[in-house]
Amino acid sequence: VECSSAAEALAAAGAGADIVLLDNLAPQELHAAAAQVKAVYPRVTVEASGGIVLGTLPQFLGPHIDVVSMGCLTHSAPALDFALRV
């Protein structure tokens, strides 16, 4: 479930979500929210997403973050033009 606050993430986990995606949170806010979720629901997977690029990735890594999604890997990837003849 995509969440934009700790309250939303806790509500989603409480309703049975297996994974909560904390989207577009500043690193400090993200880590605080993830810690709250893990304290109450330690088996819930916490994913960080939104505006994370390679240069800022270390700021989003932490003990309560299980997965990091980086859209820049796909939407900013250069195009490749190729052909295959069989």
Side-chain angles (χ1 to χ4, degrees):
V1 175
E2 185 174 318
C3 305
S4 59
S5 69
E8 286 182 7
L10 288 166
D18 295 326
I19 302 171
V20 293
L21 184 149
L22 296 169
D23 194 28
N24 292 316
L25 299 179
Q28 286 183 316
E29 187 180 4
L30 168 75
H31 294 299
Q36 289 177 33
V37 171
K38 287 293 192 173
V40 181
Y41 304 101
R43 292 195 172 116
V44 169
T45 299
V46 176
E47 180 175 350
S49 180
I52 302 170
V53 296
L54 290 175
T56 62
L57 177 61
Q59 298 171 26
F60 291 89
L61 302 176
H64 305 293
I65 305 300
D66 300 304
V67 178
V68 176
S69 293
M70 295 174 40
C72 67
L73 295 176
T74 55
H75 65 67
S76 298
L80 174 64
D81 185 14
F82 70 95
L84 176 65
R85 291 185 182 188
V86 179

Coordinates of all heavy atoms in Angstrom, one line a residue:
V1 N 0.9 -1.2 0.0 CA 0.0 0.0 0.0 C 0.9 1.2 0.0 O 1.8 1.3 0.8 CB -0.9 0.0 1.2 CG1 -1.7 1.3 1.3 CG2 -1.8 -1.2 1.2
E2 N 0.6 2.2 -0.9 CA 1.4 3.4 -1.0 C 0.9 4.4 0.1 O -0.3 4.6 0.2 CB 1.2 4.0 -2.4 CG 2.1 5.3 -2.6 CD 2.0 5.8 -4.0 OE1 2.0 5.0 -4.9 OE2 1.9 7.1 -4.1
C3 N 1.8 4.9 0.9 CA 1.5 5.7 2.0 C 2.3 7.0 2.0 O 3.5 7.0 1.6 CB 1.7 5.0 3.4 SG 0.9 3.4 3.5
S4 N 1.8 8.1 2.5 CA 2.5 9.4 2.5 C 2.8 9.9 3.9 O 3.2 11.0 4.0 CB 1.8 10.4 1.6 OG 0.5 10.6 2.2
S5 N 2.5 9.0 4.9 CA 2.8 9.4 6.3 C 2.9 8.2 7.1 O 2.4 7.1 6.7 CB 1.7 10.3 6.8 OG 0.5 9.6 7.0
A6 N 3.4 8.3 8.3 CA 3.5 7.2 9.3 C 2.1 6.7 9.7 O 1.9 5.5 9.8 CB 4.3 7.6 10.5
A7 N 1.2 7.7 9.8 CA -0.2 7.3 10.2 C -0.8 6.4 9.2 O -1.5 5.4 9.5 CB -1.0 8.6 10.5
E8 N -0.6 6.8 7.9 CA -1.2 6.0 6.8 C -0.6 4.6 6.8 O -1.2 3.6 6.6 CB -1.0 6.7 5.5 CG -1.9 7.8 5.2 CD -1.7 8.5 3.9 OE1 -1.0 7.9 3.0 OE2 -2.3 9.5 3.6
A9 N 0.8 4.5 7.0 CA 1.5 3.3 7.0 C 1.0 2.4 8.1 O 0.8 1.2 7.9 CB 3.0 3.5 7.0
L10 N 0.9 2.9 9.3 CA 0.4 2.1 10.4 C -1.0 1.6 10.2 O -1.4 0.5 10.5 CB 0.5 3.0 11.7 CG 1.9 3.2 12.2 CD1 1.9 4.3 13.3 CD2 2.5 1.9 12.8
A11 N -1.9 2.5 9.6 CA -3.3 2.1 9.3 C -3.3 1.0 8.3 O -4.0 0.0 8.4 CB -4.1 3.3 8.8
A12 N -2.4 1.1 7.3 CA -2.4 0.0 6.2 C -1.9 -1.3 6.8 O -2.5 -2.3 6.5 CB -1.5 0.5 5.1
A13 N -0.8 -1.2 7.6 CA -0.3 -2.4 8.2 C -1.3 -3.1 9.1 O -1.5 -4.3 9.2 CB 1.0 -2.1 8.9
G14 N -2.0 -2.2 9.9 CA -3.1 -2.7 10.8 C -4.2 -3.3 10.1 O -4.9 -4.2 10.6
A15 N -4.4 -2.9 8.8 CA -5.5 -3.5 8.0 C -5.1 -4.7 7.3 O -5.9 -5.4 6.6 CB -6.0 -2.4 7.0
G16 N -3.8 -5.1 7.5 CA -3.4 -6.4 6.9 C -2.4 -6.3 5.7 O -2.0 -7.3 5.1
A17 N -1.9 -5.1 5.4 CA -1.0 -4.9 4.3 C 0.3 -5.6 4.6 O 0.8 -5.5 5.8 CB -0.7 -3.5 4.0
D18 N 0.9 -6.4 3.7 CA 2.2 -7.0 3.9 C 3.3 -6.1 3.6 O 4.4 -6.3 4.1 CB 2.3 -8.2 2.9 CG 1.2 -9.3 3.2 OD1 0.9 -9.5 4.4 OD2 0.8 -10.0 2.3
I19 N 3.1 -5.1 2.7 CA 4.1 -4.2 2.3 C 3.6 -2.8 2.4 O 2.5 -2.5 1.9 CB 4.6 -4.5 0.9 CG1 5.2 -5.9 0.8 CG2 5.7 -3.5 0.5 CD1 5.5 -6.3 -0.7
V20 N 4.3 -1.9 3.0 CA 3.9 -0.5 2.9 C 5.0 0.3 2.2 O 6.2 0.1 2.5 CB 3.6 0.2 4.3 CG1 2.4 -0.5 4.9 CG2 4.8 0.0 5.2
L21 N 4.6 1.1 1.2 CA 5.6 1.9 0.4 C 5.5 3.4 1.0 O 4.4 4.0 0.8 CB 5.2 1.8 -1.0 CG 6.1 2.5 -2.0 CD1 6.1 1.8 -3.3 CD2 5.7 4.0 -2.2
L22 N 6.5 3.8 1.6 CA 6.6 5.2 2.1 C 7.1 6.1 0.9 O 8.2 6.0 0.5 CB 7.5 5.3 3.3 CG 6.9 4.5 4.5 CD1 8.0 4.4 5.6 CD2 5.7 5.1 5.1
D23 N 6.2 6.9 0.4 CA 6.4 7.6 -0.8 C 6.7 9.1 -0.6 O 5.9 9.8 0.1 CB 5.3 7.4 -1.8 CG 5.6 7.8 -3.2 OD1 6.8 7.8 -3.6 OD2 4.6 8.2 -3.9
N24 N 7.7 9.6 -1.2 CA 8.0 11.0 -1.2 C 8.2 11.6 0.2 O 7.8 12.8 0.5 CB 7.0 11.8 -2.0 CG 7.0 11.5 -3.4 OD1 8.1 11.5 -4.1 ND2 5.9 11.3 -4.0
L25 N 8.9 10.9 1.1 CA 9.2 11.4 2.4 C 10.7 11.8 2.4 O 11.5 11.2 1.8 CB 8.9 10.4 3.5 CG 7.5 9.8 3.6 CD1 7.5 8.8 4.7 CD2 6.5 11.0 3.9
A26 N 11.0 12.9 3.2 CA 12.3 13.3 3.4 C 13.0 12.2 4.2 O 12.3 11.5 5.0 CB 12.4 14.6 4.2
P27 N 14.3 12.0 4.1 CA 15.0 10.9 4.8 C 14.7 10.8 6.3 O 14.4 9.7 6.7 CB 16.5 11.2 4.5 CG 16.5 11.9 3.2 CD 15.3 12.7 3.2
Q28 N 14.8 11.9 7.0 CA 14.5 11.8 8.4 C 13.1 11.4 8.7 O 12.8 10.6 9.6 CB 14.8 13.2 9.1 CG 16.2 13.5 9.2 CD 16.5 14.8 9.9 OE1 15.8 15.8 9.6 NE2 17.4 14.8 10.8
E29 N 12.1 11.9 8.0 CA 10.7 11.5 8.1 C 10.5 10.1 7.8 O 9.8 9.3 8.4 CB 9.9 12.5 7.3 CG 8.4 12.3 7.5 CD 7.5 13.2 6.6 OE1 8.1 14.0 5.8 OE2 6.3 13.2 6.8
L30 N 11.2 9.6 6.7 CA 11.1 8.3 6.2 C 11.6 7.3 7.3 O 10.9 6.3 7.7 CB 11.9 8.1 5.0 CG 12.2 6.6 4.5 CD1 10.9 6.0 3.9 CD2 13.3 6.5 3.6
H31 N 12.7 7.6 7.9 CA 13.3 6.7 8.9 C 12.4 6.6 10.2 O 12.3 5.6 10.8 CB 14.7 7.1 9.2 CG 15.7 6.9 8.0 ND1 15.9 5.6 7.5 CD2 16.4 7.7 7.3 CE1 16.7 5.7 6.4 NE2 17.0 7.0 6.3
A32 N 11.9 7.8 10.6 CA 11.0 7.8 11.7 C 9.8 7.0 11.5 O 9.3 6.2 12.3 CB 10.7 9.2 12.1
A33 N 9.2 7.1 10.3 CA 7.9 6.4 10.0 C 8.2 4.9 9.9 O 7.4 4.1 10.4 CB 7.4 6.9 8.6
A34 N 9.3 4.5 9.2 CA 9.7 3.1 9.1 C 9.9 2.5 10.5 O 9.5 1.4 10.7 CB 10.9 3.0 8.2
A35 N 10.6 3.2 11.4 CA 10.8 2.7 12.7 C 9.5 2.5 13.5 O 9.3 1.5 14.2 CB 11.7 3.7 13.5
Q36 N 8.5 3.4 13.3 CA 7.2 3.2 13.9 C 6.5 2.0 13.4 O 5.9 1.2 14.2 CB 6.4 4.5 13.7 CG 6.8 5.7 14.4 CD 6.0 6.9 14.1 OE1 4.8 6.8 13.8 NE2 6.6 8.1 14.1
V37 N 6.5 1.8 12.1 CA 5.9 0.7 11.5 C 6.5 -0.6 12.0 O 5.8 -1.6 12.4 CB 5.9 0.7 10.0 CG1 5.4 -0.6 9.4 CG2 5.1 1.9 9.5
K38 N 7.8 -0.7 12.0 CA 8.5 -1.9 12.4 C 8.4 -2.2 13.9 O 8.4 -3.4 14.3 CB 10.0 -1.8 12.0 CG 10.3 -1.9 10.5 CD 10.0 -3.3 10.0 CE 10.6 -3.5 8.6 NZ 10.5 -4.9 8.2
A39 N 8.2 -1.2 14.7 CA 8.0 -1.4 16.1 C 6.7 -2.1 16.4 O 6.6 -2.9 17.3 CB 8.1 -0.1 16.9
V40 N 5.7 -1.8 15.7 CA 4.4 -2.4 15.9 C 4.1 -3.6 15.0 O 3.5 -4.6 15.4 CB 3.3 -1.3 15.6 CG1 1.9 -1.9 15.9 CG2 3.5 -0.1 16.5
Y41 N 4.6 -3.6 13.8 CA 4.4 -4.6 12.8 C 5.8 -5.1 12.2 O 6.1 -4.7 11.1 CB 3.5 -4.2 11.7 CG 2.2 -3.7 12.2 CD1 1.9 -2.3 12.3 CD2 1.2 -4.5 12.5 CE1 0.7 -1.8 12.7 CE2 -0.1 -4.1 13.0 CZ -0.3 -2.7 13.1 OH -1.5 -2.3 13.5
P42 N 6.6 -5.8 13.0 CA 7.9 -6.1 12.5 C 8.0 -7.0 11.3 O 9.0 -7.0 10.6 CB 8.6 -6.9 13.7 CG 7.4 -7.3 14.6 CD 6.3 -6.3 14.3
R43 N 6.9 -7.7 10.9 CA 7.0 -8.5 9.7 C 6.5 -7.8 8.5 O 6.6 -8.4 7.4 CB 6.1 -9.8 9.9 CG 6.7 -10.7 11.0 CD 6.1 -12.1 10.9 NE 6.9 -12.9 11.8 CZ 6.4 -13.5 12.9 NH1 5.1 -13.4 13.2 NH2 7.1 -14.3 13.6
V44 N 6.1 -6.6 8.6 CA 5.7 -5.8 7.4 C 6.9 -5.3 6.7 O 7.9 -4.8 7.3 CB 4.8 -4.6 7.8 CG1 4.6 -3.7 6.7 CG2 3.4 -5.1 8.3
T45 N 6.9 -5.5 5.4 CA 8.0 -5.0 4.6 C 7.8 -3.5 4.3 O 6.7 -3.1 3.9 CB 8.1 -5.7 3.2 OG1 8.3 -7.1 3.4 CG2 9.2 -5.2 2.3
V46 N 8.9 -2.7 4.6 CA 8.8 -1.3 4.4 C 9.7 -0.9 3.2 O 10.9 -1.2 3.1 CB 9.3 -0.5 5.6 CG1 9.4 1.0 5.4 CG2 8.4 -0.8 6.8
E47 N 9.0 -0.2 2.2 CA 9.7 0.2 1.0 C 9.8 1.7 0.9 O 8.8 2.4 1.2 CB 8.9 -0.3 -0.2 CG 9.5 0.0 -1.5 CD 8.7 -0.6 -2.7 OE1 7.9 -1.5 -2.5 OE2 9.0 -0.2 -3.8
A48 N 11.0 2.2 0.6 CA 11.2 3.7 0.4 C 11.1 4.0 -1.1 O 11.6 3.2 -1.9 CB 12.5 4.1 0.9
S49 N 10.4 5.1 -1.5 CA 10.2 5.4 -2.9 C 10.0 6.9 -3.0 O 9.6 7.6 -2.0 CB 9.0 4.6 -3.4 OG 8.9 5.0 -4.8
G50 N 10.2 7.4 -4.2 CA 9.9 8.8 -4.5 C 11.0 9.7 -4.5 O 11.5 10.1 -3.4
G51 N 11.5 10.1 -5.6 CA 12.6 11.1 -5.7 C 14.0 10.6 -5.3 O 14.9 11.4 -5.1
I52 N 14.1 9.3 -5.2 CA 15.4 8.8 -4.8 C 16.3 8.5 -6.0 O 15.9 7.9 -7.0 CB 15.3 7.4 -4.0 CG1 14.4 7.6 -2.8 CG2 16.6 6.9 -3.6 CD1 13.9 6.4 -2.1
V53 N 17.5 9.1 -6.0 CA 18.4 8.9 -7.1 C 19.7 8.4 -6.6 O 19.9 8.3 -5.4 CB 18.7 10.3 -7.9 CG1 17.4 10.8 -8.5 CG2 19.2 11.3 -7.0
L54 N 20.6 8.0 -7.5 CA 21.8 7.3 -7.0 C 22.6 8.2 -6.0 O 23.2 7.7 -5.1 CB 22.7 6.9 -8.2 CG 22.2 5.8 -9.0 CD1 23.1 5.6 -10.3 CD2 22.1 4.5 -8.2
G55 N 22.6 9.5 -6.3 CA 23.4 10.4 -5.4 C 22.8 10.6 -4.0 O 23.5 10.8 -3.1
T56 N 21.5 10.4 -3.9 CA 20.9 10.5 -2.5 C 20.6 9.1 -1.9 O 20.1 9.1 -0.8 CB 19.6 11.3 -2.6 OG1 18.6 10.7 -3.5 CG2 19.9 12.7 -3.1
L57 N 20.8 8.1 -2.6 CA 20.4 6.7 -2.1 C 20.9 6.5 -0.7 O 20.1 6.0 0.1 CB 20.9 5.7 -3.1 CG 20.7 4.2 -2.6 CD1 19.2 3.9 -2.5 CD2 21.4 3.3 -3.7
P58 N 22.2 6.8 -0.3 CA 22.6 6.5 1.0 C 21.8 7.1 2.1 O 21.7 6.5 3.2 CB 24.1 7.0 1.0 CG 24.5 6.9 -0.4 CD 23.3 7.3 -1.2
Q59 N 21.2 8.2 1.9 CA 20.4 8.9 2.9 C 19.1 8.1 3.2 O 18.5 8.3 4.2 CB 20.0 10.3 2.4 CG 21.2 11.2 2.2 CD 20.7 12.5 1.5 OE1 19.6 12.9 1.6 NE2 21.7 13.1 0.8
F60 N 18.7 7.3 2.2 CA 17.4 6.6 2.4 C 17.6 5.2 2.9 O 16.6 4.5 3.1 CB 16.7 6.6 1.0 CG 16.2 7.9 0.6 CD1 17.0 8.8 -0.1 CD2 14.9 8.3 1.0 CE1 16.5 10.0 -0.5 CE2 14.5 9.6 0.7 CZ 15.3 10.5 -0.1
L61 N 18.8 4.7 3.0 CA 19.1 3.4 3.5 C 19.1 3.4 5.0 O 19.6 4.3 5.6 CB 20.4 2.9 3.0 CG 20.6 2.8 1.5 CD1 22.0 2.4 1.1 CD2 19.5 1.9 0.9
G62 N 18.6 2.4 5.7 CA 18.6 2.3 7.1 C 18.1 1.0 7.6 O 17.6 0.1 6.8
P63 N 18.1 0.8 8.9 CA 17.8 -0.5 9.5 C 16.3 -0.9 9.4 O 16.0 -2.1 9.5 CB 18.2 -0.4 11.0 CG 18.2 1.1 11.2 CD 18.6 1.7 9.9
H64 N 15.5 0.0 9.2 CA 14.0 -0.3 9.1 C 13.5 -0.3 7.6 O 12.3 -0.5 7.4 CB 13.2 0.7 9.9 CG 13.7 0.7 11.4 ND1 13.6 -0.4 12.2 CD2 14.4 1.7 12.1 CE1 14.1 -0.1 13.4 NE2 14.6 1.1 13.3
I65 N 14.4 0.0 6.7 CA 14.0 0.0 5.3 C 14.4 -1.3 4.6 O 15.6 -1.7 4.6 CB 14.7 1.2 4.5 CG1 14.5 2.5 5.2 CG2 14.3 1.2 3.1 CD1 13.0 2.9 5.3
D66 N 13.4 -2.0 4.1 CA 13.7 -3.3 3.5 C 13.9 -3.3 2.0 O 14.7 -4.1 1.5 CB 12.5 -4.3 3.7 CG 12.2 -4.5 5.2 OD1 13.1 -4.9 5.9 OD2 11.1 -4.2 5.7
V67 N 13.3 -2.3 1.3 CA 13.4 -2.2 -0.1 C 13.4 -0.7 -0.5 O 12.8 0.1 0.1 CB 12.1 -2.9 -0.8 CG1 12.1 -2.7 -2.3 CG2 12.0 -4.3 -0.4
V68 N 14.2 -0.4 -1.6 CA 14.2 0.9 -2.1 C 13.9 0.9 -3.6 O 14.4 0.1 -4.3 CB 15.6 1.6 -1.9 CG1 15.7 3.0 -2.6 CG2 16.0 1.7 -0.5
S69 N 12.9 1.7 -4.0 CA 12.5 1.8 -5.4 C 13.1 3.1 -6.0 O 13.0 4.1 -5.3 CB 11.0 1.8 -5.5 OG 10.5 0.6 -5.2
M70 N 13.7 3.0 -7.1 CA 14.3 4.2 -7.8 C 13.8 4.2 -9.2 O 14.2 3.5 -10.1 CB 15.8 4.1 -7.7 CG 16.3 4.1 -6.3 SD 18.1 3.9 -6.2 CE 18.8 4.8 -7.5
G71 N 12.8 5.1 -9.4 CA 12.2 5.3 -10.8 C 13.3 5.8 -11.8 O 13.1 5.5 -13.0
C72 N 14.3 6.4 -11.3 CA 15.3 7.0 -12.2 C 16.0 5.9 -13.0 O 16.6 6.1 -14.0 CB 16.3 7.8 -11.4 SG 17.4 6.9 -10.3
L73 N 16.0 4.6 -12.5 CA 16.6 3.5 -13.2 C 15.9 3.2 -14.5 O 16.5 2.7 -15.4 CB 16.7 2.3 -12.3 CG 17.5 2.4 -11.1 CD1 17.4 1.1 -10.2 CD2 19.0 2.7 -11.4
T74 N 14.6 3.5 -14.6 CA 13.8 3.2 -15.8 C 13.4 4.5 -16.5 O 13.6 4.5 -17.7 CB 12.6 2.4 -15.4 OG1 11.8 3.1 -14.5 CG2 12.9 1.0 -14.9
H75 N 12.9 5.5 -15.9 CA 12.4 6.6 -16.6 C 13.5 7.6 -17.1 O 13.3 8.4 -18.0 CB 11.3 7.4 -15.9 CG 11.7 8.1 -14.6 ND1 12.6 9.1 -14.6 CD2 11.4 7.8 -13.3 CE1 12.8 9.5 -13.3 NE2 12.0 8.7 -12.5
S76 N 14.7 7.4 -16.6 CA 15.8 8.3 -17.0 C 16.9 7.5 -17.7 O 17.9 8.0 -18.0 CB 16.4 9.0 -15.8 OG 15.5 9.8 -15.1
A77 N 16.6 6.2 -18.0 CA 17.6 5.4 -18.7 C 17.7 5.9 -20.2 O 16.6 6.2 -20.8 CB 17.2 3.9 -18.6
P78 N 18.9 5.9 -20.8 CA 19.0 6.2 -22.2 C 18.4 5.2 -23.1 O 18.3 4.0 -22.7 CB 20.5 6.3 -22.4 CG 21.1 5.5 -21.3 CD 20.2 5.6 -20.1
A79 N 17.9 5.6 -24.2 CA 17.3 4.6 -25.2 C 18.4 3.9 -25.9 O 19.5 4.4 -26.1 CB 16.4 5.4 -26.1
L80 N 18.0 2.7 -26.3 CA 18.9 1.9 -27.1 C 18.1 1.4 -28.4 O 17.1 0.8 -28.2 CB 19.4 0.7 -26.3 CG 20.2 -0.4 -27.1 CD1 21.6 0.3 -27.5 CD2 20.5 -1.6 -26.2
D81 N 18.7 1.7 -29.5 CA 18.0 1.3 -30.8 C 18.8 0.1 -31.3 O 20.0 0.3 -31.6 CB 18.0 2.5 -31.7 CG 17.3 2.2 -33.0 OD1 16.5 1.2 -33.0 OD2 17.4 3.0 -34.0
F82 N 18.1 -1.0 -31.5 CA 18.8 -2.1 -32.0 C 17.8 -2.9 -32.9 O 16.6 -2.8 -32.8 CB 19.4 -3.0 -30.9 CG 18.4 -3.7 -30.1 CD1 18.0 -5.0 -30.4 CD2 17.8 -3.1 -29.0 CE1 17.1 -5.7 -29.6 CE2 16.9 -3.8 -28.2 CZ 16.5 -5.1 -28.5
A83 N 18.4 -3.8 -33.7 CA 17.6 -4.7 -34.5 C 18.1 -6.1 -34.4 O 19.3 -6.3 -34.2 CB 17.6 -4.2 -36.0
L84 N 17.3 -7.1 -34.7 CA 17.7 -8.5 -34.6 C 17.2 -9.1 -35.9 O 16.0 -9.1 -36.2 CB 17.1 -9.1 -33.4 CG 17.4 -10.6 -33.2 CD1 18.9 -10.9 -33.0 CD2 16.6 -11.2 -32.0
R85 N 18.1 -9.8 -36.6 CA 17.7 -10.5 -37.8 C 17.9 -12.0 -37.5 O 19.0 -12.4 -37.1 CB 18.4 -10.1 -39.0 CG 18.1 -8.7 -39.4 CD 18.8 -8.3 -40.7 NE 18.4 -6.9 -41.0 CZ 18.7 -6.3 -42.1 NH1 19.4 -7.0 -43.0 NH2 18.4 -5.1 -42.4
V86 N 16.9 -12.8 -37.8 CA 17.1 -14.2 -37.6 C 17.0 -14.9 -39.0 O 16.2 -14.6 -39.8 CB 15.9 -14.8 -36.7 CG1 16.0 -16.3 -36.5 CG2 15.9 -14.0 -35.4

